[in-house]
Amino acid sequence: MPNSIFVTKERCTGCTACVKACPVSCITMVDRDPNEGVKWRKLAVIDEVKCVFCNACVEVCDNLGAKSAHKDLFNAITMTKETATSTGPAIDTSLYKGVWVYAEVRHGKLVPTIYELLSLAQKLAGTLGEDISAVLIGKDVARHAQDIIDHGADKVYVLDHPCFENFVDELYTQAFADLILKEKPNKLLLPASTLGRSFASRLAISAKTGITADATELTIDPKTRLLHATRPSFGGNLMATILCEKQRPEMATVRPMSFPRSEKKPGRQGKTIPVPVDPSKFKQRTRFVKYEPEQGEEQDISAADVIVAGGRGVGGAAGFKPIEALAKILGGAVGASRAAVDAGWITYRHQVGLTGRTVRPKLYIAAGISGQIQHLAGMNSSDVIVCVNKDPEAPLMKLATLSIEADLFEFIPALVKELEKRKGH
Ligand SMILES: Cc1cc2nc3c(=O)[nH]c(=O)nc-3n(C[C@H](O)[C@H](O)[C@H](O)COP(=O)(O)OP(=O)(O)OC[C@H]3O[C@@H](n4cnc5c(N)ncnc54)[C@H](O)[C@@H]3O)c2cc1C
């Protein structure tokens, strides 16, 4: 039965408690027809299309009902939730073993996010007492297997074939899904990169399982052995922990830079398992045409060792000039707070934070950024944090390794000048 929700007209007093409780603003109050003969003037109406069936409105209305002396009022909202799994019949979960990670290869290079996935996999596999396996797909990718083993994998499945030279969702999904069905992994983690996001959801559908996208925290419940995957929901206003109880593997994409990298132990023992690939089996409706790298010299914040970020304190698009000058002389990238992005002073790809990118540079310089929790969520694992702010009470001034109480328009140009002098410009 599909999800459904409705309001019993006779019990609704139009008190608006449900409107306030709804996180997705799908409840409105409408005027009642005076001919109804009900003394309450307003009636709650729920937009079922927008509703996420979170139960918040039901709870608040039922709580009022419990407190009210009028037993015929409140308890006005009835919700029915879908009961059957939409992913397929229940399976024997005990047959599924091992923590798997996907090792992304981009233009022939291993993407370092694999080391973060491996450190996370070590933690999860430690609680489960299971092995860690990595999956490599591409052309001439077998050469990366030992590096992955050195960083903590016990096995590496290698799908090495010319048909995988360029990433095509359909091919990668069919090959990976076949391997999942044959080997039955228990948990599977992929990077929440552009490629990972695009292909993980298809993979989950093909493997008839569920997936948590963009997880920022993952743990195993030692009792149930289930993966608890936590991710920001409702635009970051609350953190949701998601479980996939009945299907396997339990899958998640993991935000790059959210976890430390695993340690390298050169010469570590592990198994490389070549997986035969027969491209004639694959159904393909799309084909790779060409790769065009993004134009411009701007460094990507997620890979930068140094980030100089500006916030509302820069005052406008032109205020980013000193920030860019400092980033340039330090060989770093330019970051921004959401306030600066929302104001249209800089593009979204520079945004650091909960709804932007998570970064972990060696040096993060924040100028004119107060340090609200949503910004900190994206950068507080940086090695050294320098905060330049006029207000000594700004939250980031308290957290920073080095806090500089100054006007950024005086301090940053002076610093650039000094660095230029030292570099002999
Ligand atoms: C669901 C949700 C998600 C969000 N996601 C993000 C996110 O991903 N990233 C993010 O950044 N925010 C995010 N936010 C917004 C966040 O709550 C803050 O509003 C935002 O980070 C504030 O940006 P700011 O620090 O630049 O601005 P402000 O808080 O206004 O701070 C400006 C700072 O500049 C200082 N200043 C002013 N002039 C100067 C000067 N001349 N020299 C030095 N200092 C100066 C001021 O003292 C002040 O501390 C999110 C909010 C919500 C509700």
Side-chain angles (χ1 to χ4, degrees):
M1 193 171 42
N3 292 338
S4 77
I5 190 159
F6 65 90
V7 177
T8 306
K9 278 185 178 182
E10 296 73 21
R11 303 191 73 92
C12 177
T13 65
C15 72
T16 73
C18 55
V19 177
K20 288 171 199 148
C22 177
V24 292
S25 308
C26 76
I27 310 179
T28 40
M29 286 291 158
V30 298
D31 290 330
R32 282 182 186 262
D33 180 350
N35 300 326
E36 261 181 62
V38 177
K39 74 169 177 176
W40 315 109
R41 296 207 341 262
K42 298 278 182 188
L43 171 70
V45 174
I46 302 178
D47 180 343
E48 226 177 338
V49 176
K50 273 199 203 164
C51 177
V52 292
F53 301 93
C54 68
N55 210 44
C57 58
V58 179
E59 268 179 32
V60 78
C61 192
D62 288 356
N63 283 343
L64 289 169
K67 286 179 202 148
S68 169
H70 303 279
K71 293 300 159 208
D72 54 339
L73 295 178
F74 303 108
N75 299 301
I77 308 173
T78 309
M79 192 181 85
T80 320
K81 278 202 102 167
E82 195 174 16
T83 45
T85 77
S86 54
T87 44
I91 51 155
D92 180 355
T93 55
S94 68
L95 299 175
Y96 291 73
K97 295 272 180 284
V99 179
W100 279 28
V101 290
Y102 172 59
E104 182 178 341
V105 176
R106 218 180 284 160
H107 313 303
K109 289 194 185 133
L110 189 63
V111 179
T113 322
I114 179 64
Y115 308 131
E116 296 160 34
L117 296 184
L118 282 167
S119 88
L120 177 60
Q122 281 168 339
K123 198 179 80 176
L124 305 181
T127 313
L128 291 164
E130 294 181 4
D131 280 355
I132 299 171
S133 300
V135 178
L136 258 173
I137 307 178
K139 181 181 168 232
D140 300 329
V141 288
R143 64 201 157 92
H144 300 301
Q146 186 56 46
D147 183 40
I148 295 171
I149 292 170
D150 287 350
H151 280 87
D154 301 304
K155 285 183 216 158
V156 181
Y157 292 94
V158 183
L159 290 86
D160 203 327
H161 194 278
C163 74
F164 298 133
E165 179 169 13
N166 296 297
F167 173 72
V168 178
D169 271 355
E170 288 170 314
L171 298 188
Y172 275 51
T173 305
Q174 289 167 62
F176 203 159
D178 283 351
L179 188 64
I180 290 175
L181 296 176
K182 183 166 168 266
E183 298 294 334
K184 298 189 172 32
N186 189 0
K187 323 285 177 210
L188 170 57
L189 312 174
L190 296 101
S193 57
T194 309
L195 182 147
R197 282 184 176 137
S198 147
F199 136 73
S201 49
R202 279 175 181 263
L203 192 56
I205 295 289
S206 301
K208 296 190 168 44
T209 186
I211 182 165
T212 302
D214 233 2
T216 51
E217 201 189 315
L218 292 116
T219 52
I220 300 283
D221 178 338
K223 263 194 200 153
T224 60
R225 300 174 70 81
L226 285 172
L227 181 68
H228 285 219
T230 303
R231 55 152 295 154
S233 294
F234 299 119
N237 287 315
L238 48 97
M239 301 299 283
T241 298
I242 297 166
L243 310 184
C244 172
E245 290 178 309
K246 295 186 182 144
Q247 307 299 326
R248 294 293 181 276
E250 294 158 81
M251 285 178 62
T253 57
V254 179
R255 261 195 171 213
M257 304 286 167
S258 298
F259 295 91
R261 292 182 177 186
S262 61
E263 212 184 301
K264 180 167 179 158
K265 294 192 178 137
R268 200 175 159 273
Q269 294 297 304
K271 238 174 153 182
T272 301
I273 305 168
V275 179
V277 178
D278 175 5
S280 68
K281 272 178 48 193
F282 301 145
K283 290 194 190 103
Q284 192 176 351
R285 289 168 300 178
T286 51
R287 69 189 166 85
F288 177 82
V289 179
K290 68 173 172 178
Y291 168 68
E292 274 189 37
E294 215 172 342
Q295 295 302 312
E297 298 165 22
E298 282 177 350
Q299 236 198 83
D300 182 10
I301 52 169
S302 51
D305 277 343
V306 175
I307 295 175
V308 186
R312 206 194 310 266
V314 307
F320 270 96
K321 290 276 174 260
I323 307 284
E324 285 160 9
L326 182 57
K328 191 170 175 201
I329 198 152
L330 293 174
V334 175
S337 72
R338 177 162 158 180
V341 172
D342 284 354
W345 303 340
I346 189 162
T347 55
Y348 170 73
R349 64 194 294 262
H350 296 270
Q351 185 179 318
V352 173
L354 195 61
T355 43
R357 304 270 192 89
T358 304
V359 296
R360 197 183 266 264
K362 292 191 176 125
L363 173 63
Y364 188 87
I365 303 177
I369 297 179
S370 60
Q372 300 305 312
I373 188 89
Q374 296 90 353
H375 188 80
L376 302 183
M379 47 63 71
N380 63 4
S381 301
S382 308
D383 290 352
V384 173
I385 298 170
V386 177
C387 178
V388 184
N389 201 308
K390 284 199 293 197
D391 176 8
E393 298 303 317
L396 196 50
M397 290 289 268
K398 308 233 149 86
L399 179 126
T401 325
L402 187 61
S403 304
I404 299 160
E405 187 185 339
D407 185 322
L408 74 94
F409 293 107
E410 290 169 13
F411 180 78
I412 304 256
L415 180 60
V416 171
K417 212 167 158 191
E418 180 61 29
L419 290 170
E420 281 174 348
K421 207 161 80 189
R422 291 191 190 191
K423 281 199 168 181
H425 278 244

